[in-house]
Amino acid sequence: MRPQRRPRFQELDAMGLPEERGRSGSESRGQEEAGAGGRARSWSPPPEVSRSAHVPSLQRYRELHRRSVEEPREFWGDIAKEFYWKTLCPGPFLQYNFDVTKGKIFIEWMKGAITNICYNVLDRNVHEKKLGDKVAFYWEGNEPGETTQITYHELLVQVCQFSNVLRKQGIQKGDRVAIYMPMIPELVVAMLACARIGALHSIVISWNQGIDLWWHELMQEAGDECEPEWCDAEDPLFILYTSGSTGKPKGVVHTVGGYMLYVATTFKYVFDFHAADVFWCTADIGWITGHSYVTYGPLANGATSVLFEGIPTYPDVSRLWSIVDKYKVTKFYTAPTAIRLLMKFGDEPVTKHSRASLQVLGTVGEPINPEAWLWYHRVVGAQRCPIVDTFWQTETGGHMLTPLPGATPMKPGSATFPFFGVAPAILNESGEELEGEAEGYLVFKQPWPGIMRTVYGNHERFETTYFKKFPGYYVTGDGCRRDQDGYYWITGRIDDMLNVSGHLLSTAEVESALVEHEAVAEAAVVGHPHPVKGECLYCFVTLCDGHNFSPKLTEELKKQIREKIGPIATPDYIQNAPGLPKTRSGKIMRRVLRKIAQNDHDLGDTSTVADPSVISHLFSHRCLTIQ
Ligand code: PRX
């Protein structure tokens, strides 16, 4: 439910955070706080989590955040000391221009400092921190029982071998290596081997008979020592093509030094990492979440992780929780789409497993509707695990808005507050910063170390996409609301906003109202041309098992939306959608749904659709008349 607006504005400090008033998170812990005065309910961090947390209170978070934004060079400079640098940064620690009217956009952290990210996440853990025998990954295949594990020492040996293989193939620093592999330890090995020899990895493509070679044949002959290639902190580390949910994919370029600092630091604080943790991020390594929180972030911290090749519904829908119990997973990170999928099957597949090891749960990738948040919290986390709803992008390298488990009182559906070094603002259409309670464009005012540096081969596209609309700011492309307590709520991509008779509605808000109905597992809403309203709502709904699509259900859904949001949001079309077009990372492709609603078969680039067969099904079952 949308919290009521209050007629008063609250004072914000320089970083867009509310000044602390009344009870702080550190004083009211481990309990649900009622939504008095129309406020969304909030959950304070459980005392047992706060007690041992790196950041144990909201007060401490505020102090650290203030310093990170006011003194970014000193804040990140201290963190940089924890890494190995062959040569320290000889010049300014940070230089940048965010303003297109003043010249070329550039961001440089620690330029001239020399390091190697693979050396930092492997050699140092093995040789200096003596973690050689610690398990880096428990690998679990799609078939239960298919498992292996790999220690830090074994990982280092394999990475050195594969680095030698790559060098023997003539790969040199600055070359680009495309990798196409399933979720197996060899994929991590291949990425790190590229990083070790200074080649850029880009994870894509299919087998090519003429060019491709067999892993085991090459590895047999390779030596197991390999001197790293020493790189500038600003040398490129990898290229990752964005999912293409809104247009032609862009090659996002991240660099060695800043990315290393940022993913290591976000991993440590956002998951409140401790040495005994077993971490599990279910994301595919081919996506940024996998790069940052399967590979680089956990390894930089010397963590043990689960690497899962399978899917959450095989051999049955309790697979995730059986794996949690098997490896005693303490921190679990997944996408709202997976949570909604599993919610459809009820509580029993979850509760039949103990899950007693779980301490922190996370989500990423899209707004999590409060319904799914509450289920995740109540059923999966048994009401004792904080949920970190992490907002970020391929472009940002790591988390941007997120709770910290021991410090931040949570509100279901809100990514809460900015991470260290992040200065958010909300702008109106004219580019003015809005204070207090407000809704508009989410932008960032200054660089953080993990920000992308360019679009591969097209710097102009980088400037146009992220910096032209509002000079002086990085523009996320997301809409956002800040509530009376200073919490940030992502309302969805700006291109996903709907304008019905002059009223702006966010797709996330309508979808959230739909999935609150017990029959609906997932919903996607798009705008559709309407002669009177300008735009009307066309909704696609996926039903839970055991429910049938009927005129009665359509009426109930319309009523639900009228009650939750208002009559203006009443949909004109509701289509039954047994499946929705999604990218392989689980993001709903609303661009494609908009075309389906209009019976427009000119779909543009659909190379990233996970299951193209759902598109033809939806075309052939379109709603032809207003319901
Ligand atoms: O719209 C936001 C949504 O996902 C977009 C970034 O997608 P991608 O680059 O594929 O990266 C996904 C993994 C970081 C954002 O612009 N998004 C991501 N996380 C959240 C979110 N929307 C709301 N809440 C989130 N926690």
Side-chain angles (χ1 to χ4, degrees), residues 24-43:
S24 74
S26 55
E27 289 159 329
S28 57
R29 291 262 171 78
Q31 52 193 295
E32 177 185 342
E33 287 166 19
R39 278 194 154 95
R41 287 181 299 175
S42 72
W43 273 257

Side-chain angles (χ1 to χ4, degrees), residues 123-145:
D123 304 53
R124 285 188 77 217
N125 280 332
V126 172
H127 300 305
E128 269 175 48
K129 299 183 184 166
K130 308 292 177 214
L131 297 178
D133 293 334
K134 184 169 180 177
V135 172
F137 292 103
Y138 289 116
W139 178 77
E140 175 87 11
N142 191 39
E143 285 303 326

